[in-house]
């Protein structure tokens, strides 16, 4: 089992270049299944979830090749619309292949997706929306069979919750449907905008991405393109918290402040100085952070749930008490027990966590509970006194390109063992 060993209490300083966004590249890789010609994805991050998406594409008959420029995907030879259960379980994003496959082949067969355990993660909103577009979906022995023998037909879809994945699935299915599809109460995350820009680059007609109303006019065909994946805003948040918790200073080349404004406001309240620079974000911190006003996770542009664990690790050493309210996922506090092993004082009740800042964390043996929870432990380990050993590193590798290299570049004493 892979582990990370961190000798903490070193001030993290320096510059990092941002990786491409995991939550953007995965739906874009699914989108490639919709397109009958070659695509080049630049700034494609080297993540285990990206390899999982490539495995799924390959299993469908597509060709995926990593070159020095990025990831080349050619789905012209796509020959299957069925994804096996072991491949579906590799990650949550496997469900986004549904929209692409039904759009391209008029049918698909999948099982329920895997992914981080953050509480129940149903796909009812995805299925309801695809049914509204005319798909017939039946479930037998855990396999979902979707069919649209007469093709999909654009319609008005009002989402009960602005689900990121469901918005992406609808966008993919609607690209080549007959007529216009309008999504109201759509997710507004920057990754939705990235997906729309990619699809429009391939000839789709999508307007309003980034707003609550997205309109997609069906086109008869899509073509290949070259596209550069947006920078990863959650990785940016991770390195900002890591530098801030050690009183450090960091420049993130390529990071976009507009993608994480709510998060940046929180860090500013804690005492960090943060500036948007010509080519990224600069942060400097000095001494112990101050506790901040309650952090409530919300759909974009609210505070991102993916940065909740990261901010909690940081606030665990703040002067004062910070309240966290997790409004997106039911069970996203699994990092709390691990932070407690390092001396953090955190009480949870339901979706609320009360973090009473301590002066110092102390290194301990801990286990990454999920991707962002694991990253939060890296932040805590960098700030803590003494040695921290983090196991379950495979979960962290789902979303970070060798996190130990990035942290080492900033001056952390961290090794993979
Ligand atoms: C995406 C992100 C994930 C992030 C999340 C919220 C990717 C690969 N993952 O996940 O990192 O934490 O957005 O910003 O982009 N829900 C339902 N029924 C559905 C769909 C969702 O009840 O059919 C619920 C979920 O259980 C959850 C909430 O809605 O409680 C948010 O889910 P959603 O926005 O769909 O997140 P994902 O797309 O899974």
């Amino acid at each position: 089992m892979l582990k990370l060993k961190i000798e903490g209490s070193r001030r993290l300083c320096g510059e990092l270049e941002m990786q491409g966004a995991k939550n953007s590249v995965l739906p874009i890789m699914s989108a490639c299944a919709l397109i009958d010609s070659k695509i080049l994805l630049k700034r494609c991050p080297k993540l285990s979830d990206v390899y999982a998406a490539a495995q799924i594409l390959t299993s469908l008959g597509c060709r995926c090749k990593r070159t020095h420029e990025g990831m080349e995907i050619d789905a012209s030879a796509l020959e299957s619309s069925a994804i096996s259960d072991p491949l579906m379980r590799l990650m949550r994003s496997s469900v986004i292949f549904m929209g692409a496959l039904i759009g391209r082949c008029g049918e698909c067969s999948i099982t329920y997706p895997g992914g981080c355990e953050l509480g129940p993660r149903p796909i009812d909103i995805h299925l309801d929306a695809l049914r509204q577009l005319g798909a017939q979906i039946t479930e037998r022995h855990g396999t979902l069979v979707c069919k649209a023998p007469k093709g999909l037909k654009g319609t008005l879809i009002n989402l009960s919750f602005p689900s990121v994945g469901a918005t992406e699935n609808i966008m993919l299915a609607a690209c080549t449907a007959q007529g216009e599809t309008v999504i109201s109460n759509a997710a507004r995350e920057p990754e939705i905008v990235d997906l729309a820009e990619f699809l429009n680059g391939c000839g789709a007609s999508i307007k309003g991405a980034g707003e609550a109303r997205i309109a997609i006019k069906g086109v008869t065909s899509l073509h290949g393109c070259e596209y550069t994946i947006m920078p990863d805003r959650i990785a940016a948040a991770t390195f900002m918290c890591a530098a801030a918790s050690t009183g450090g200073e960091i420049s993130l080349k390529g990071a976009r402040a507009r993608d994480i404004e709510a998060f940046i406001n929180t860090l500013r309240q804690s005492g960090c100085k943060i500036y948007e620079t010509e080519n990224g974000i600069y942060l400097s911190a000095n001494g112990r952070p101050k506790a901040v006003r309650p952090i409530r996770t919300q759909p974009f542009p609210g505070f991102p749930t993916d940065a909740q664990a990261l901010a909690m690790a940081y606030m665990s050493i703040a002067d004062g008490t910070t309240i966290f309210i997790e409004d997106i996922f039911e069970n996203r506090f699994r990092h709390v027990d691990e932070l407690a092993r390092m001396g953090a004082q955190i009480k949870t009740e339901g979706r609320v966590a009360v973090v009473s800042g301590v002066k110092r964390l102390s290194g301990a043996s801990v286990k990454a509970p999920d991707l962002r929870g694991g990253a939060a432990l890296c932040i805590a380990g960098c700030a803590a006194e003494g040695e921290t050993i983090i196991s379950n590193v495979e979960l962290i590798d789902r979303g970070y390109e060798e996190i130990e290299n990035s942290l080492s570049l900033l001056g952390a004493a961290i090794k993979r063992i």
Side-chain angles (χ1 to χ4, degrees), residues 293-296 308-309 312 315 321-327 332-336 339 345-356:
R293 289 194 292 273
I295 295 176
R296 181 185 284 274
Q308 177 256 110
M312 195 178 289
M315 282 297 109
T321 299
T322 305
I323 292 171
F324 286 76
I325 305 135
E326 174 51 62
D327 256 353
R332 203 167 193 181
F333 285 146
R334 295 200 310 144
H335 44 278
V336 165
L339 288 171
Q345 298 278 324
I346 307 174
K347 286 211 169 78
T348 58
E349 191 165 328
R351 289 178 179 241
V352 177
V354 179
V355 181
S356 310

Side-chain angles (χ1 to χ4, degrees), residues 22-24 26-27 49 92-93 95-96 118-127 160-168 187 189 191 233-234 298-300 304-306 327-330 332 351 371-372:
K22 162 185 159 301
N23 286 354
S24 175
L26 297 176
D49 272 11
R92 169 80 178 172
S93 287
V95 75
I96 314 296
L118 314 174
R121 295 180 80 174
I123 55 169
D124 53 319
I125 304 176
H126 302 238
L127 301 182
S160 54
F161 179 86
S163 155
V164 175
T167 303
E168 292 165 345
E189 270 66 4
E191 292 78 9
R233 61 195 177 108
I234 306 301
Q298 282 172 329
F300 191 84
T305 173
D306 287 350
D327 256 353
I328 305 291
F329 288 104
E330 248 173 61
R332 203 167 193 181
R351 289 178 179 241
L371 163 58
R372 305 301 169 186

Side-chain angles (χ1 to χ4, degrees), residues 19-22 25 43-47 50-51 66 229 401:
Q19 63 178 60
K22 162 185 159 301
V25 72
R43 194 156 60 195
C44 176
K46 294 180 179 133
L47 307 173
V50 167
Y51 296 120
R66 197 171 256 293
I229 303 295
E401 279 184 340

Side-chain angles (χ1 to χ4, degrees), residues 4 19 21-23 26 47-49 91-93 115-118 121 232 234-235 238 305-307 309-310 332 334-335 367-379 390-401 403:
L4 289 173
Q19 63 178 60
K22 162 185 159 301
N23 286 354
L26 297 176
L47 307 173
S48 58
D49 272 11
M91 56 177 180
R92 169 80 178 172
S93 287
C116 284
E117 285 171 28
L118 314 174
R121 295 180 80 174
D232 195 310
I234 306 301
T238 306
T305 173
D306 287 350
L310 314 172
R332 203 167 193 181
R334 295 200 310 144
H335 44 278
K367 195 167 157 191
D370 50 57
L371 163 58
R372 305 301 169 186
L377 296 176
C378 291
I379 294 167
I390 305 172
S391 56
N392 264 4
V393 179
E394 298 80 8
L395 291 174
I396 302 175
D397 292 338
R398 298 180 67 161
Y400 296 86
E401 279 184 340
I403 197 166

Side-chain angles (χ1 to χ4, degrees), residues 26 30 48-49 51-57 59-60 80-101 108-116 121-123 126-127 130 141-146 169 398:
L26 297 176
S30 305
S48 58
D49 272 11
Y51 296 120
Q55 251 181 291
I56 294 179
L57 283 164
S59 79
L60 299 171
S80 162
S81 60
I83 305 178
S84 71
D85 185 53
L87 289 178
M88 280 301 295
R89 284 177 191 269
L90 288 177
M91 56 177 180
R92 169 80 178 172
S93 287
S94 53
V95 75
I96 314 296
F97 278 93
M98 203 166 32
L101 288 173
C108 73
S109 148
I110 62 160
T111 64
Y112 281 89
C116 284
R121 295 180 80 174
I123 55 169
H126 302 238
L127 301 182
L130 292 175
H141 309 299
T143 298
L144 290 159
V145 178
C146 316
N169 244 332
R398 298 180 67 161

